[in-house]
Amino acid sequence: MSHELSPQLLEAFSRDFNADPKSQVISRAARRSGLLEAAYNPAVSQRLNRTFSIELDTDNVTNQQQSGRCWLFSTLNVVRHNFGKANKAKNFTFSQSYNFFWDKIERANYFYDRIIETADRPLDDRTVRGYFDWCQTDGGQWHMAASLIAKYGVVPTYAMPESFNSNHSQALDTVLADKERKDALTLRRLAQAGDQEKLEAARTDFLSQIYRIMATALGEPPKTFDLEFRDDDKNYHLDKGLTPVQFYQKYCATDLDDYVVLANAPDHEMNRVLHLGFEDNIKGGYPNLFINVPMEYLEDAAISQLKDGEAVWFGNDVGRQMDRKTGFMDLDLYQLDQLLDIDSHLSKADRLATGIGESSHDMALVGVDVDGGQVRQWKVENSWGDKSGEKGYFTMSADWFREYTYEVAVQKKHVPAEILDLLRSQPIELDPWDSLI
């Protein structure tokens, strides 16, 4: 069945709009300042007062600038806060550029392997198309960052500073994606022909070219460096000739084996382990496993870890009901339904199922305000520099956390045993087009 928009019907729409005398007033306000500003609810600031009963001792923030490295920044923020606590150096920072370099190399290696494995499928196969789309993104998951850190370690910011291309990654991503997609066609033809010797030679040559691109754009990663810093008490520290892995193992008090990711994706089966193998980035690294549980488990584990003095990585849909200027995140921040006289409410499950909801950004929880056992608000460390929010920190309501948070990475000791036991079960393999991507 199809419908034509007749002039009579359009005229009826116009009459309906103009029948309400407030319509033109609302329209003038919306056109002048934009829909969000016209719908802004200043009462939110009375609830989100930026005072927290549990709060980590943090100071400076990082800035991913125009790149999609939030997953890497937020993971390294958790690690650096642990480093700062252990070494009394709260403003010490790690090089995101260093791990970003290795991610692009590993991501290309993974992409080439998947392309060879699926060479018998047509190019328009949904899984093959998913791999082709994935190779151009900066996005990632906690376990992807953990795999990079476990294999390559970390370095201080001064050992491999940010570059224009790490801060503004669009051109680099385009170059890599164009090249890798062209390489994929060659690898598919060689795999289909069964020429294993030429296939392996081509794959190795392509990876060498990817390395050259990354070394040109970001510079080569240091193999060793001297650790040098003053702690919060002004004491001087120097440790020469460390490799990145040695530095991590010696100074960074974060056992990556001891973390699990709890997810709340109500469009998926609850109390099951989900595997997003499509985004596993390192062969032999940590698989992207999520334990899908009700939201209270994510909230309780996050509070417990904050009480223990450690930041919490979390994946969320930051573009919803968030104001960059104030840093407020609240379900009533923009009252668009009231402004436009509509009802756009959907459940969390329906938002995911329809593609409206997504885990679009990763940040770190560094504080929470609990009153009588009830959460009032959360303190969030973002990676958008100190000009957003209050010097880079955002304030999030309890309801926003429940509605728009999809994942938290926490230590196992903060998770009930019956939930951890689920890791012994066979994971559900998620498709490359799954809503959790």
Side-chain angles (χ1 to χ4, degrees):
M1 178 185 294
S2 60
H3 300 82
E4 181 182 352
L5 284 173
S6 67
Q8 293 82 5
L9 187 59
L10 295 175
E11 180 60 29
F13 293 162
S14 178
R15 286 196 305 270
D16 183 57
F17 173 74
N18 287 287
D20 186 348
K22 297 191 296 294
S23 292
Q24 291 298 334
V25 176
I26 294 171
S27 177
R28 286 195 297 270
R31 283 179 286 163
R32 178 73 174 178
S33 59
L35 288 174
L36 292 182
E37 282 300 313
Y40 185 80
N41 179 15
V44 166
S45 62
Q46 299 170 11
R47 297 196 303 272
L48 303 182
N49 60 16
R50 309 186 199 274
T51 303
F52 307 92
S53 58
I54 302 165
E55 188 173 7
L56 304 188
D57 184 19
T58 60
D59 191 1
N60 67 345
V61 295
T62 53
N63 192 348
Q64 69 187 79
Q65 297 196 39
Q66 296 176 36
S67 71
R69 298 174 292 160
C70 58
W71 57 283
L72 187 53
F73 272 70
S74 50
T75 304
L76 287 173
N77 281 336
V78 171
V79 175
R80 80 181 181 99
H81 290 320
N82 291 342
F83 173 91
K85 182 180 177 181
N87 298 279
K88 300 180 70 174
K90 65 182 179 182
N91 282 332
F92 192 92
T93 58
F94 297 127
S95 167
Q96 292 85 12
S97 183
Y98 172 79
N99 297 96
F100 183 54
F101 179 100
W102 292 119
D103 176 59
K104 290 301 189 184
I105 306 297
E106 291 284 356
R107 207 176 279 234
N109 181 61
Y110 178 91
F111 172 70
Y112 292 148
D113 280 351
R114 301 292 83 78
I115 287 299
I116 293 169
E117 288 177 4
T118 58
D120 60 336
R121 302 187 189 186
L123 276 173
D124 60 0
D125 175 84
R126 201 171 183 185
T127 296
V128 174
R129 179 55 54 191
Y131 290 132
F132 270 74
D133 291 341
W134 184 74
C135 73
Q136 69 177 349
T137 177
D138 283 349
Q141 306 283 349
W142 163 271
H143 283 117
M144 293 171 64
S147 295
L148 290 165
I149 293 169
K151 183 172 182 177
Y152 295 102
V154 294
V155 302
T157 299
Y158 61 78
M160 188 170 178
E162 291 290 310
S163 67
F164 180 90
N165 295 303
S166 60
N167 282 330
H168 308 82
S169 61
Q170 183 176 4
L172 175 60
D173 288 342
T174 299
V175 168
L176 290 171
D178 288 353
K179 176 183 167 33
E180 289 173 26
R181 286 166 172 166
K182 180 181 179 182
D183 294 346
L185 297 178
T186 300
L187 294 174
R188 282 171 57 86
R189 285 194 291 267
L190 291 171
Q192 291 163 0
D195 195 334
Q196 192 64 30
E197 184 176 349
K198 287 186 178 179
L199 178 66
E200 289 301 320
R203 184 182 172 282
T204 300
D205 182 50
F206 292 156
L207 283 171
S208 177
Q209 293 173 37
I210 296 295
Y211 186 98
R212 185 166 66 248
I213 292 171
M214 292 304 299
T216 300
L218 270 63
E220 279 198 285
K223 295 179 176 62
T224 62
F225 65 93
D226 295 341
L227 175 64
E228 189 172 18
F229 68 98
R230 287 193 180 274
D231 62 28
D232 296 337
D233 295 329
K234 308 303 180 185
N235 296 313
Y236 176 73
H237 300 263
L238 176 63
D239 195 347
K240 294 184 176 182
L242 291 169
T243 68
V245 172
Q246 287 172 338
F247 170 54
Y248 184 80
Q249 293 174 345
K250 185 175 180 179
Y251 287 95
C252 300
T254 305
D255 182 3
L256 297 169
D257 291 334
D258 196 38
Y259 284 79
V260 294
V261 175
L262 303 181
N264 180 247
D267 62 327
H268 294 66
E269 185 178 352
M270 282 290 160
N271 300 313
R272 291 296 304 272
V273 178
L274 311 176
H275 179 215
L276 190 57
F278 171 71
E279 288 194 347
D280 290 345
N281 61 332
I282 295 182
K283 182 164 181 65
Y286 295 104
N288 282 303
L289 295 177
F290 310 90
I291 310 177
N292 195 33
V293 292
M295 197 64 204
E296 55 264 28
Y297 288 101
L298 281 69
E299 183 174 286
D300 291 345
I303 293 171
S304 179
Q305 186 153 302
L306 287 169
K307 286 182 177 178
D308 210 30
E310 182 177 335
V312 179
W313 178 99
F314 75 114
N316 58 88
D317 198 355
V318 74
R320 299 287 174 175
Q321 294 289 349
M322 177 275 299
D323 177 36
R324 277 178 177 261
K325 183 168 61 177
T326 62
F328 291 145
M329 305 161 73
D330 187 280
L331 297 187
D332 292 325
L333 186 62
Y334 298 111
Q335 297 184 336
L336 286 165
D337 282 9
Q338 182 179 346
L339 178 77
L340 301 171
D341 193 22
I342 59 173
D343 179 5
S344 64
H345 176 75
L346 285 174
S347 69
K348 194 174 188 179
D350 285 343
R351 289 198 307 273
L352 282 170
T354 57
I356 293 174
E358 61 176 340
S359 187
S360 60
H361 189 55
D362 303 317
M363 299 183 284
L365 298 170
V366 293
V368 63
D369 189 25
V370 182
D371 180 24
Q374 299 297 314
V375 175
R376 296 178 62 247
Q377 58 189 344
W378 300 83
K379 184 177 181 180
V380 177
E381 179 181 8
N382 207 342
S383 53
W384 291 348
D386 59 8
K387 299 298 188 293
S388 296
E390 185 175 39
K391 297 181 179 179
Y393 291 91
F394 284 43
T395 306
M396 173 177 62
S397 72
D399 287 342
W400 197 102
F401 177 82
R402 297 184 188 112
E403 282 296 313
Y404 293 122
T405 290
Y406 297 102
E407 304 152 13
V408 297
V410 291
Q411 290 180 303
K412 294 175 182 176
K413 65 181 178 180
H414 304 296
V415 180
E418 65 269 22
I419 300 301
L420 293 177
D421 285 344
L422 295 173
L423 289 170
R424 301 176 183 175
S425 63
Q426 183 68 28
I428 297 174
E429 191 66 38
L430 301 180
D431 294 316
W433 53 89
D434 191 85
S435 61
L436 275 177
I437 293 178

